[in-house]
Structure formats: structure tokens, C-alpha cells
Amino acid sequence: MEQDIESPVTIHQPKLPKQAREDLPKNLNKECAKRKIQRYVRKDGKCNVHHGNVRETYRYLTDIFTTLVDLKWRFNLLIFVMVYTVTWLFFGMIWWLIAYMRGDMDHIGDSTWTPCVSNLNGFVSAFLFSIETETTIGYGYRVITDKCPEGIVLLLIQSVLGSIVNAFMVGCMFVKISQPKKRAETLVFSTNAVISMRDGKLCLMFRVGDLRNSHIVEASIRAKLIKSKQTKEGEFIPLNQTDINVGYYTGDDRLFLVSPLIISHEINQQSPFWEISKAQLPKEELEIVVILEGMVEATGNISYTLLLFLLCLENGIVFLIF
């Protein structure tokens, strides 16, 4: 990238198609920057969509694992601590009730009495015994005896349920930690996109590069045009999504992302920009969302990167409003 320096050359204005040769008003970029634009995708890659009036909220609980993974870290950690604490308190209460109903509390210190759990003399010791049982610590001070069948059944139940809780919560935390969202922080896009002639064709071009030495395997890129439209029948479709061809038929959308690459979209009759003139482009309410997808070499997880383009054009250069 350090050697990628443009040499000063004389640039001749190429002959552009008719829709790109209209006169462009002055100070167009300033007007576009001042215009209040509501984003469909924010600059951090998150979609600016809020689900309102959702009545069937029970659907989130049917897939509780995904719901926990999607929660923010502070809520996830709070639930993680609360689940273990409530489980220990619940079984500690049951151990205390068994000891209380059998009369173990009335025979504390009696060597002739065989309690359900040795050295259990109150709720605090029952709570500690519950923690030792579920975490398999085994200090050896409080132990269950063979004269308590109800305690043996409870020990089996707590061991099984404790294993299920451990598998569920640890699995949830592992999936959340291993999510490759932060891998996208080192995938960079060019600040400006350019509309210019390449090989005699009018193209929209931008650049993408990877800052890490570990590569993105099987990387592919695609782009979507987000723009409201009205059909010939008069139906209004808000936020209609249209594919932007960035080399799907030629295989140029599959990237070997070792060095920075230039992604090009040819503006031809199949392009959604074909009917949009140079002067009309800044007045359009549209967004271009670029999606870079690939597998992280270090972990094998699939990473997604979203980039939002808000187009404003001046002197043949498309400025990206972030």
C-alpha cells in the first residue's frame, strides 16, 4: 500500500454517455451535506430498523439461546450471574428443608444421630453445600450420608441440572465471545467512491483492503441499492432493494483480499443508475449498502462487513456522506 502512489499525469476528459454529460449545479456537495438524510444502515454497520408493535413476543423465548447471544454484554453477564446464583439458592433451600424436616437441626452435635448431610447446621451451610455439589468442588467437610434417600435423589437431580446449566450458559458465553464482529474493524473501505471511465465504460468504483496478516478466506462482495420505488400499477414500495452487479457474472465479486482491491460496477443498461443523470443523482433519496462476506482464517467463523454509501456527486466524484 505504501508503494501505491499515483504519478502526476495529464487527465483528458473522456467522452461520457448522454446521461452523464448534463450540467451540474455549483456547490452541489455543500447542499447535499446540509440535507438531512435518514440512514437505513448506520455507519457502524448496524441496520437502523426498529421492530415495533410485536405482539407475539413469546417467539423470542422459543429460541432462548439465540436471544441470549444477541443480548448486549451487560445483560448477558447479568443473566449469567443470576442463573447460577438462583440455582444455588434454590437447591440450598431444598437441602435446608430436608435437614429441617428430618430434625437434623435439633441434633446438632449429637454423635448418635446420623444427619442427611454432615456438618450442615443452617441455611448458610446448606447454601455452601449446594455450591460445592453443583460445582463439584468437594471440600470434604460437608458430605451426604447413606441414611438419607431423599438427599440422594436431590443430589442426582442437582448434578444433572447443574450440568445442563453449565453447558447452556458456558456455550452461550463461548458463542458470544467467538463472534467475528470485531474482525470487521480491520477491513477498510475508501473514503470516496469515483465515477469515471475505465476501458471505455462508465464505472462506479471504490476500494477495499484488509489490515491484518491473517486473510479472509473465500471473500465475496456484493452491493445493494436501497431506494423507494413506485410500480407501473401505482404501488409504492418503500426501501426497495436492487442488486448492483460488482462482477457476479465474471467472478470479480470473489476476492483474494491480500492487497487492496478496486471494486467496479459498470453503469450500463442493466444498471439501476442508467436512468439517473449527473444532475439528478444528488436529488435522489438512495443508499448503496456494500456487503463483504468471508471466513476468518484464524477461527473459521464467517464475518460480515456492511458499508453505507450516501451519494453526492460533484465534478465526477461521488462523495460518501458518513
Side-chain angles (χ1 to χ4, degrees), residues 13-258:
Q13 182 67 23
K15 184 178 180 181
L16 302 178
K18 181 179 179 180
Q19 70 273 13
R21 284 190 275 113
E22 298 183 10
D23 294 333
L24 190 69
K26 297 180 179 180
N27 300 325
L28 188 57
N29 188 49
K30 295 181 180 179
E31 295 177 2
C32 188
K34 293 180 181 179
R35 187 178 59 183
K36 186 178 179 180
I37 301 176
Q38 186 176 4
R39 301 178 184 273
Y40 181 68
V41 179
R42 296 198 298 264
K43 63 180 180 180
D44 58 357
K46 296 181 179 179
C47 297
N48 192 18
V49 177
H50 301 278
H51 298 281
N53 196 24
V54 180
R55 298 180 181 178
E56 298 179 352
T57 54
Y58 67 90
R59 294 182 180 271
Y60 295 103
L61 298 179
T62 56
D63 187 11
I64 187 65
F65 186 83
T66 305
T67 301
L68 291 176
V69 172
D70 290 339
L71 287 177
K72 295 183 179 180
W73 268 109
R74 53 180 177 269
F75 299 116
N76 203 290
L77 292 175
L78 177 62
I79 293 175
F80 185 86
V81 174
M82 290 298 296
V83 166
Y84 279 105
T85 304
V86 170
T87 305
W88 295 335
L89 286 173
F90 174 75
F91 283 102
M93 178 64 70
I94 297 180
W95 283 114
W96 179 82
L97 286 175
I98 291 176
Y100 179 79
M101 295 177 65
R102 293 183 76 257
D104 294 344
M105 300 299 175
D106 300 329
H107 297 82
I108 298 176
D110 188 356
S111 59
T112 61
W113 179 264
T114 303
C116 183
V117 179
S118 301
N119 301 313
L120 194 150
N121 52 21
F123 177 74
V124 176
S125 59
F127 175 67
L128 293 176
F129 180 72
S130 175
I131 296 176
E132 295 169 13
T133 301
E134 191 165 331
T135 56
T136 64
I137 293 177
Y139 289 119
Y141 181 69
R142 279 174 288 271
V143 293
I144 189 172
T145 61
D146 57 354
K147 303 298 182 181
C148 182
E150 61 270 25
I152 296 174
V153 174
L154 180 60
L155 178 65
L156 294 175
I157 294 175
Q158 185 174 5
S159 299
V160 173
L161 290 181
S163 300
I164 295 175
V165 170
N166 289 333
F168 186 85
M169 298 307 300
V170 173
C172 178
M173 295 296 293
F174 177 77
V175 171
K176 192 168 183 63
I177 291 173
S178 61
Q179 283 183 324
K181 292 183 178 179
K182 294 300 180 181
R183 180 62 176 87
E185 298 294 333
T186 52
L187 295 173
V188 293
F189 292 83
S190 55
T191 304
N192 297 331
V194 178
I195 291 181
S196 64
M197 299 296 293
R198 170 180 272 194
D199 295 331
K201 301 175 183 178
L202 189 65
C203 299
L204 168 67
M205 295 175 288
F206 58 92
R207 208 173 194 189
V208 60
D210 189 5
L211 301 180
R212 287 189 179 274
N213 292 328
S214 58
H215 306 311
I216 298 293
V217 183
E218 297 182 1
S220 62
I221 194 167
R222 49 198 173 97
K224 290 281 187 179
L225 175 65
I226 311 297
K227 179 186 176 183
S228 301
K229 64 173 290 187
Q230 188 170 6
T231 63
K232 296 180 180 179
E233 294 78 14
E235 179 186 2
F236 179 76
I237 304 177
L239 303 175
N240 182 63
Q241 299 184 12
T242 306
D243 281 328
I244 298 177
N245 187 10
V246 289
Y248 177 78
Y249 297 105
T250 61
D252 293 337
D253 62 327
R254 294 184 288 273
L255 310 178
F256 182 51
L257 202 58
V258 177

